[in-house]
Amino acid sequence: MRYFNIAGPCSKVKHYMIEASSRLHGVEELIDREQYFLIHAARQSGKTTYLRDLAERLNAGGKYYTLYCSLENMQGITASKEAIPEIVKTVKIELGFSNIPIKNNFAKEADYEDYTNVLRTELTLFCMSLDKPLVILFDEADCLSEDGLITFLRQLRNGYNNRSSIPFVHSIVLVGMRNIRDYKAQVRPDSQSLGSASPFNIVTKSMTLKNFTKEEISCLYRQHTDETGQIFGEDAIELVWQQTQGQPWLVNAIANEVIVEMLQWDYTKPVTAEMVEKAIQTIIIRRDTHIDSLLERLKEERVRNVIESIILGEYIDTYTDDFYYVRDLGLIRVTEEKIEPANPVYGEVIIRTLNNKLQDNLQRNNPAYQIPRYLKDGRIDMDFLMSDFQQFWRENSAIWIERFYYKEAAPHLILMAFLQRVINGGGQIIRELAAEKGHLDLCLVYEGQKYPIELKIWHGKKSKEKGITQTLRYMNVYGCTEGWLAIFDRSQTTEWDSKIYMEKKMIDGKIVTIVGL
């Protein structure tokens, strides 16, 4: 019986899967036109599955010999003197497992000392001996860097430009997480041009593998229903779609968590939205390899530059290499309305990862770090909670801000860590992370009651007026008559007695509590 795959490429025989070819169109047309091009997509989104399927289809078609070749072993090898011979040897090994004729002739007498030409030379000699055009799919191409990357591309460019008179590879596909723009950023300082002989000018197009649509998620889960009889409720599918935005690994991981870990393969029980929510929380807390490796990127400065702006609601320049890099990693998405985390699961994990040290510290060292302290008649006493945070902020902010790598966003992260007790007590925090809003929206949910909170940095008197307007707008989203506006004054000259205050304003029958910090 097939299952939901959460590790490695998918197989039609072993796994439930959506045909990868349905998520990327126009590839075979580019190959027919002898193009060299790039495919990029985020980690564990189906790139390798797609490439293996493409190689199989092209070989079965009979027009080409197609070779799949992973360059993952090139990670960390930057010098072209070492990198190029390793690439030639990798191609030779992959050919050894292929059905391409005369494969053993490749690089039999390769001159590895001539590393600036050996790849082009050996590919030329091999193509001369074949009776059909050769297509090579280079997976994990972005493992190449610096001199190794430049020399690799220059040899491909040389072969590409002379194909009319000297046989060479018919079509080459470079595949990885990053777009061609970031390949360039690796090897070209801002002040330096690669000139008219840029090795990148043979790459005619850059394509991306899309996430699942809601319909594809339903189709994937229906395969399991058809084979086992176990039903996924419509509300469960809707929640998976909302929380993952179709990220393939997450879609599979949630189903696997429910069916294998929670239900222990009991196919008689339908999959509900409550089960999906529990599975999501388990995956977030457990931090499986996929999430862990993605979040390692948060330590990179160029990632911080973008993610911190999203947390703060600040403007993001979408024409920078940093922005393209973070988007191509799959950490963020861009819609017509906003720039935000790629999906709510990633957004939640990002926040928890950035403030987890403070969360742990609060739970271990603060006996009062429990939600019952803030309950009153089954509701959260928000004034008590926010007043308690004011005291914590006054006494501890200087210490904790210095411990955060994301120092500009530290106030927001510290407050969210402080509010984490709501989740620990069985509640929920809805986070509206998006760039260019000028604020961060939070909504605490407990026992069906909603408590909207607006977080803002003080930038003068207009900050309060604008913040009140934004808070009222956010209250309307949830139909609430009471909301809270937390304003952080980061000035070093303002005294604490002036910063810390709590003020209530009645506006059109609604109460906005301004919490000075």
Side-chain angles (χ1 to χ4, degrees):
M1 187 169 291
R2 294 188 296 168
Y3 58 91
F4 291 98
N5 184 32
I6 56 173
C10 289
S11 163
K12 297 175 184 177
V13 176
K14 298 178 181 179
H15 310 124
Y16 304 122
M17 61 178 287
I18 299 296
E19 288 290 340
S21 58
S22 69
R23 297 163 56 206
L24 189 62
H25 301 287
V27 170
E28 292 182 47
E29 288 80 0
L30 288 172
I31 290 172
D32 287 339
R33 289 162 45 198
E34 304 179 62
Q35 301 298 298
Y36 287 17
F37 59 100
L38 187 141
I39 297 172
H40 69 93
R43 178 178 170 79
Q44 289 185 292
S45 55
K47 296 186 297 296
T48 301
T49 298
Y50 174 80
L51 289 181
R52 292 189 180 280
D53 177 65
L54 176 62
E56 185 179 321
R57 283 189 285 113
L58 290 174
N59 281 323
K63 289 171 61 177
Y64 310 112
Y65 293 123
T66 305
L67 178 69
Y68 168 87
C69 183
S70 174
L71 299 178
E72 187 173 6
N73 61 322
M74 303 306 300
Q75 186 76 49
I77 304 176
T78 58
S80 53
K81 186 175 183 179
E82 299 172 4
I84 301 304
E86 284 301 316
I87 293 172
V88 175
K89 293 172 186 177
T90 299
V91 172
K92 186 177 179 68
I93 291 170
E94 295 289 353
L95 277 168
F97 293 105
S98 75
N99 294 321
I100 298 176
I102 61 170
K103 58 190 178 185
N104 294 327
N105 289 347
F106 180 77
K108 285 185 70 173
E109 299 179 2
D111 180 7
Y112 292 116
E113 293 296 319
D114 185 17
Y115 60 88
T116 58
N117 293 296
V118 64
L119 177 64
R120 177 181 62 85
T121 299
E122 296 306 325
L123 286 175
T124 295
L125 292 173
F126 189 61
C127 290
M128 288 174 65
S129 62
L130 292 174
D131 59 339
K132 286 190 290 189
L134 176 66
V135 176
I136 302 181
L137 314 175
F138 282 114
D139 199 3
E140 306 288 352
D142 48 359
C143 287
L144 293 168
S145 60
E146 299 181 27
D147 289 345
L149 172 64
I150 285 291
T151 305
F152 169 72
L153 290 174
R154 287 204 188 282
Q155 291 187 55
L156 297 186
R157 181 181 187 273
N158 193 318
Y160 175 91
N161 287 340
N162 293 292
R163 285 185 304 176
S164 59
S165 56
I166 303 173
F168 199 64
V169 184
H170 174 85
S171 179
I172 289 177
V173 187
L174 304 176
V175 184
M177 286 197 299
R178 292 174 288 183
N179 202 341
I180 195 68
R181 182 185 183 98
D182 199 64
Y183 283 71
K184 296 177 184 179
Q186 291 183 78
V187 297
R188 182 191 62 199
D190 291 339
S191 60
Q192 180 181 336
S193 170
L194 292 173
S196 59
S198 167
F200 299 100
N201 63 14
I202 60 169
V203 179
T204 58
K205 190 169 185 178
S206 184
M207 311 173 76
T208 188
L209 195 62
K210 297 178 181 178
N211 283 345
F212 294 152
T213 63
K214 182 182 175 182
E215 290 70 28
E216 286 172 329
I217 295 173
S218 296
C219 178
L220 182 73
Y221 288 172
R222 199 178 307 119
Q223 293 173 33
H224 174 76
T225 300
D226 292 342
E227 293 189 11
T228 67
Q230 186 170 44
I231 296 172
F232 281 80
E234 286 300 321
D235 56 346
I237 294 172
E238 178 65 29
L239 185 57
V240 170
W241 163 245
Q242 289 176 0
Q243 291 293 306
T244 69
Q245 292 298 302
Q247 204 289 326
W249 184 89
L250 285 174
V251 171
N252 279 276
I254 291 169
N256 180 74
E257 182 66 26
V258 172
I259 293 164
V260 177
E261 303 299 332
M262 292 170 57
L263 297 180
Q264 298 287 300
W265 295 283
D266 183 351
Y267 301 136
T268 64
K269 296 178 180 177
V271 177
T272 66
E274 290 76 17
M275 293 176 185
V276 168
E277 180 60 41
K278 185 177 179 181
I280 289 171
Q281 293 305 317
T282 299
I283 291 168
I284 288 173
I285 294 170
R286 192 171 60 212
R287 283 184 55 164
D288 291 338
T289 302
H290 165 81
I291 290 176
D292 218 27
S293 60
L294 197 64
L295 295 179
E296 275 295 305
R297 301 283 186 173
L298 293 174
K299 299 175 183 177
E300 299 177 21
E301 182 178 357
R302 59 198 308 199
V303 174
R304 178 181 62 79
N305 292 338
V306 175
I307 297 298
E308 193 163 48
S309 293
I310 290 176
I311 295 171
L312 293 168
E314 292 180 342
Y315 169 79
I316 293 178
D317 185 349
T318 57
Y319 289 94
T320 64
D321 289 333
D322 288 354
F323 168 78
Y324 284 106
Y325 175 67
V326 178
R327 186 192 64 179
D328 294 339
L329 286 176
L331 279 169
I332 62 173
R333 69 175 186 144
V334 183
T335 67
E336 291 182 2
E337 297 84 18
K338 54 191 173 182
I339 302 167
E340 60 185 352
N343 54 67
V345 174
Y346 283 5
E348 183 68 19
V349 176
I350 286 170
I351 296 300
R352 292 201 193 189
T353 299
L354 294 176
N355 66 18
N356 68 329
K357 289 183 180 179
L358 177 55
Q359 284 184 44
D360 291 343
N361 182 277
L362 287 170
Q363 288 176 321
R364 286 196 309 269
N365 302 321
N366 189 343
Y369 190 72
Q370 299 296 332
I371 192 168
R373 171 182 166 91
Y374 303 98
L375 289 182
K376 186 177 181 180
D377 300 327
R379 295 173 57 90
I380 299 177
D381 187 337
M382 286 295 295
D383 288 347
F384 185 13
L385 178 61
M386 297 306 286
S387 177
D388 205 21
F389 178 71
Q390 284 179 317
Q391 187 63 31
F392 175 85
W393 179 250
R394 182 170 187 160
E395 294 174 359
N396 300 281
S397 59
I399 298 170
W400 275 103
I401 286 174
E402 289 307 310
R403 298 183 185 181
F404 278 82
Y405 178 50
Y406 285 48
K407 285 185 172 50
E408 291 301 314
H412 295 51
L413 293 169
I414 291 171
L415 176 55
M416 284 188 279
F418 196 85
L419 297 176
Q420 190 67 27
R421 68 195 71 192
V422 174
I423 293 179
N424 298 341
Q428 181 185 5
I429 300 179
I430 301 171
R431 312 179 204 272
E432 302 286 343
L433 302 172
E436 302 182 25
K437 293 170 63 176
H439 55 91
L440 169 64
D441 297 327
L442 300 176
C443 186
L444 305 187
V445 183
Y446 188 78
E447 297 292 337
Q449 300 293 322
K450 295 182 175 65
Y451 307 86
I453 309 172
E454 198 88 6
L455 277 61
K456 199 168 183 65
I457 300 295
W458 175 265
H459 292 297
K461 292 183 179 180
K462 289 188 178 180
S463 298
K464 183 186 290 187
E465 297 171 9
K466 191 173 182 180
I468 290 171
T469 301
Q470 292 164 338
T471 305
L472 287 167
R473 189 182 303 130
Y474 191 47
M475 290 162 59
N476 287 335
V477 171
Y478 291 103
C480 298
T481 58
E482 191 168 7
W484 288 261
L485 169 62
I487 302 182
F488 291 92
D489 187 342
R490 310 255 353 229
S491 169
Q492 299 297 315
T493 58
T494 306
E495 296 294 331
W496 276 111
D497 287 343
S498 299
K499 290 182 181 180
I500 302 295
Y501 63 90
M502 194 172 291
E503 176 187 353
K504 289 187 179 291
K505 284 188 174 290
M506 177 73 75
I507 303 170
D508 297 331
K510 297 180 179 180
I511 300 172
V512 176
T513 302
I514 301 128
V515 183
L517 294 159

